[in-house]
Amino acid sequence: MISNIPRIKHSQTNNFFLMAGPCVIEGEEIALRIAERIVSITDKLQIPLIFKGSYRKANRSRLDSFTGIGDDTALKILAKVGREFDIPCVTDIHESNEAAMAAEYVDVLQIPAFLCRQTDLLIAAAKTGKTVNVKKGQFLSAGSMRFAVDKITDSGNPNVILTDRGNTFGYQDIIVDYRGIPEMRDFGVPVVMDCTHSLQQPNQASGVTGGKPALIETIGKAAIAVGADGLFIETHPDPANAKSDGANMLQLDLLEGLMTKLVRIREAIL
């Protein structure tokens, strides 16, 4: 169901697909370096890949948090990644007027979890004709995401992906209810598990979100076992010094080993 995305490779395999890359575009050199490594791994394992990078982070806890290197600069870097490696790219949009702008550079538009009920934003994304990946709000049930799908498809765009990123549990933790994956798959769209944001520890006293990256493998294994179509993983060669969400990102050097294990699980359940 993702074969309609331009430049997607290996879509004829029975593998899950992967949306992976840094949290935010920090610069051209590091974006290309991360993309090169991910492409090498996914080509080896025949995993369809969509490269991920936010051109701007609009939802930050503190005013002094890093938000980006400039919209135009970051979007041009994403476009270069797509051209150089012949792969599709995905980025977040935050307001309706960003949809057409971002659609000129990327193949998939992503709706952040906190914005998944914003009707005007969903319609604007749908009208671009691009595939729209909607992250499930931490505050919503899986069943509620049917209405997000309807808003996009009723706007004339059948190309929808839903991504689960866990549910708010108290003030500073998130849990994953794996029943939501088959429930959302029943809507007739691909369902992705966000293995990194589902391990966030938001609302820390410091104003910097925490995380539990040691459990990324656990989240990924369980998601594949219950039938997730894809995985979303933010990764960086040096998470401790990443400019955004480093506390829950996967160390890039660990990606190949993880993907190898998950491909085996996928093969076992088919």
Side-chain angles (χ1 to χ4, degrees):
M1 295 178 69
I2 60 164
S3 58
N4 60 298
I5 298 174
R7 299 183 294 195
I8 195 82
K9 301 176 183 177
H10 313 301
S11 61
Q12 73 282 2
T13 69
N14 288 321
N15 261 336
F16 56 88
F17 66 95
L18 177 66
M19 306 174 93
C23 177
V24 64
I25 298 299
E26 301 176 1
E28 182 175 311
E29 186 276 332
I30 191 167
L32 291 170
R33 179 154 55 101
I34 294 171
E36 182 177 29
R37 181 65 183 134
I38 298 174
V39 168
S40 173
I41 293 167
T42 54
D43 278 350
K44 178 180 178 181
L45 297 173
Q46 293 194 307
I47 299 171
L49 170 67
I50 303 169
F51 181 80
K52 185 269 169 182
S54 296
Y55 70 88
R56 173 161 39 93
K57 300 304 292 184
N59 176 24
R60 302 288 87 189
S61 296
R62 297 184 350 190
L63 186 62
D64 61 352
S65 296
F66 178 81
T67 58
I69 59 176
D71 294 357
D72 189 59
T73 300
L75 284 166
K76 286 180 177 176
I77 291 171
L78 279 165
K80 184 170 184 178
V81 168
R83 289 193 307 271
E84 294 230 347
F85 297 102
D86 194 28
I87 54 173
C89 294
V90 56
T91 199
D92 313 76
I93 59 172
H94 318 91
E95 298 183 26
S96 301
N97 60 8
E98 297 176 23
M101 174 186 71
E104 294 183 16
Y105 298 92
V106 300
D107 309 279
V108 180
L109 299 177
Q110 181 167 286
I111 308 300
F114 280 126
L115 301 177
C116 68
R117 284 172 50 90
Q118 297 297 103
T119 300
D120 288 349
L121 180 60
L122 291 170
I123 292 173
K127 293 296 186 183
T128 67
K130 301 287 185 175
T131 296
V132 183
N133 177 37
V134 188
K135 286 198 166 184
K136 184 187 78 64
Q138 304 94 310
F139 46 87
L140 288 177
S141 68
S144 298
M145 292 304 291
R146 176 185 299 276
F147 303 110
V149 174
D150 289 346
K151 289 175 183 179
I152 296 167
T153 57
D154 289 350
S155 298
N157 187 341
N159 304 313
V160 185
I161 298 170
L162 293 180
T163 295
D164 194 343
R165 48 100 75 233
N167 304 292
T168 299
F169 186 69
Y171 290 114
Q172 295 178 320
D173 208 358
I174 290 172
I175 59 170
V176 177
D177 181 354
Y178 287 97
R179 295 174 299 176
I181 292 177
E183 184 173 0
M184 290 191 291
R185 290 188 82 234
D186 283 345
F187 304 157
V189 300
V191 174
V192 172
M193 184 72 236
D194 183 339
C195 300
T196 45
H197 289 97
S198 60
L199 290 167
Q200 282 184 332
Q201 294 176 302
N203 305 318
Q204 300 298 304
S206 65
V208 178
T209 297
K212 299 178 180 179
L215 292 174
I216 291 172
E217 181 172 321
T218 300
I219 297 292
K221 285 178 175 177
I224 294 301
V226 299
D229 300 287
L231 298 176
F232 180 105
I233 296 177
E234 289 186 341
T235 184
H236 194 283
D238 185 12
N241 289 302
K243 294 185 181 296
S244 179
D245 281 4
N248 55 267
M249 278 203 278
L250 180 71
Q251 174 78 35
L252 184 58
D253 288 345
L254 301 177
L255 183 64
E256 182 170 2
L258 175 59
M259 290 298 104
T260 300
K261 292 177 182 178
L262 297 180
V263 166
R264 290 174 181 160
I265 293 173
R266 176 75 169 187
E267 290 171 348
I269 67 172
L270 290 179

